[in-house]
Amino acid sequence: MQNFIFHNPTKVAFGKDSIQQLGSLLPANSKILLLYGGGSIKNNGVYQQVTDQLKGHQWSEFAGIEANPEFTTLMKAVEIVKQQNIDYLLAVGGGSVVDGSKFIAAAANFEGDPWDILAKGATVESAIPIGCVLTLPATGSETNTASVINRSEMGKKLSFMSEQVRPQFAVLDPQVTYSLPDRQLANGVVDAFVHVMEQYLTYPVNATVQDRFAEGLLQNLIELGPKVFEPENYEVRANLMWNATQALNGLIGAGVPQDWATHQIGHELTALYGLDHAVTLAIVLPQLMRHQRSAKRDKLIQFAQRVWHLDTSDEDKAIDQAIEKTEAFFQQMGMKTYLHEHNVDDSVIRLVPRKLMENGVMKLGERGDMTPKDAELIIKAAL
Ligand code: NZQ
Ligand code: ZN
């Protein structure tokens, strides 16, 4: 196992009606900006529950953070934060609203052009504190340090990470997921699955705890997957929600090599074609597993045996079957796993590596030995 520091101080209030704890989680005497997306929280009662909790607090609101949050929209919120001397952000929504709020929090305190945080990796020295009410289990953004921001006029989707923007608290009430459309439920399962895979499917470092946790999370998602479409099944939604948080809260990634190539390639596909984040992952991961089958051989065999319970006496056959089963699982969740099924033409083969290079992504994978050329081959296979 590699050395690590693990520190995840986000306070999680989990369970039925946990939004009722929001009032006491928010700091008294602060000026709060409530941030949300396109209005789903107004239709499902979450807005009402949240604003009930804001009584007695000083607050205002900013609506309209898009899925794949837009830099220009977020900069408008930064202006409001500055004008109104906001000192606490309350994000209510899915990963996009939480990520967008993280960027606003960092940009409001940043000296210089906030775009540099994303484009140049400028250090975030400080940020406005954030709390969140999560409405879509998927990204893990509710307790982690990452944020992914879109700037569509430049065709760029870029990320940053900073301890400064980790939410101070996350309210997770599985009941708020009842209003999610099937497409977003499927996105959540696939995104969480791929997050675990990218911290697990690398090479063995004898991190037996992390491996067993990761395998448990994967098996749980495989079991839960088909059931998440059942309306108002509290137990299923609760387990999905906690699974998605655990998939990217730093725990299973501590002390192990990681491979975020599927996400890096996937972000370019979203930037180019506007495909949902998880949709891109369902397309890229199976082909990346095939492309990297030698580099990932030991872990692929372990994955085949422990997650899919396959007979590994013929190792190559077991690897093939494990990849096929993974792809079939995504399809079972309603995902199309090839680009042509989304009407993407073969110019994608040239565009993705070019965009990776433009963004300075020259080394990918757990050993940093994959290049944009490898991404090209993966995309070609995924067409
Ligand atoms: O905008 P509203 O009206 O809220 O509607 C949203 C949006 O249209 C809707 N929605 C959310 N909760 C709902 C609901 N509809 C009905 N009922 C509810 N309870 O769902 C749509 C999608 O929301 P979005 O927040 O975009 O989805 P998700 O949570 O999947 O977030 C995706 C974003 O997170 C980034 C992705 O790249 C993408 O931009 N990621 C962030 C990560 C992180 N911070 O660690 C890691 C991930 O790998 C990912 O990259
Ligand atoms: Zn993701």
Side-chain angles (χ1 to χ4, degrees), residues 138-140 148 187 190-192 194-195 198 248 260 263 267 277-278 281:
T139 61
V148 192
N187 281 346
V190 171
D191 196 19
V194 177
H195 292 161
E198 297 200 88
L248 199 50
W260 290 95
H263 268 69
H267 289 332
H277 170 62
L281 307 177

Side-chain angles (χ1 to χ4, degrees), residues 289-306:
M289 290 165 83
R290 293 190 171 105
H291 181 75
Q292 292 296 96
R293 66 180 289 147
S294 317
K296 295 183 185 295
R297 185 177 177 85
D298 292 344
K299 276 309 218 17
L300 275 167
I301 295 164
Q302 186 177 321
F303 171 67
Q305 185 175 48
R306 293 194 191 167

Side-chain angles (χ1 to χ4, degrees), residues 98-119:
V98 180
D99 282 11
S101 302
K102 288 174 174 178
F103 180 73
I104 296 163
N109 282 11
F110 191 75
E111 289 183 19
D113 180 359
W115 180 241
D116 290 350
I117 297 170
L118 296 157

Side-chain angles (χ1 to χ4, degrees), residues 100 165 181 224 265-266 364:
V165 300
L224 284 179
I265 298 169
L364 300 103

Side-chain angles (χ1 to χ4, degrees), residues 71-91:
F71 176 79
T72 43
T73 305
L74 304 173
M75 288 307 292
K76 287 179 195 154
V78 171
E79 279 314 304
I80 292 172
V81 167
K82 288 182 177 171
Q83 276 164 15
Q84 299 186 3
N85 292 320
I86 298 291
D87 58 15
Y88 205 89
L89 301 185
L90 175 61

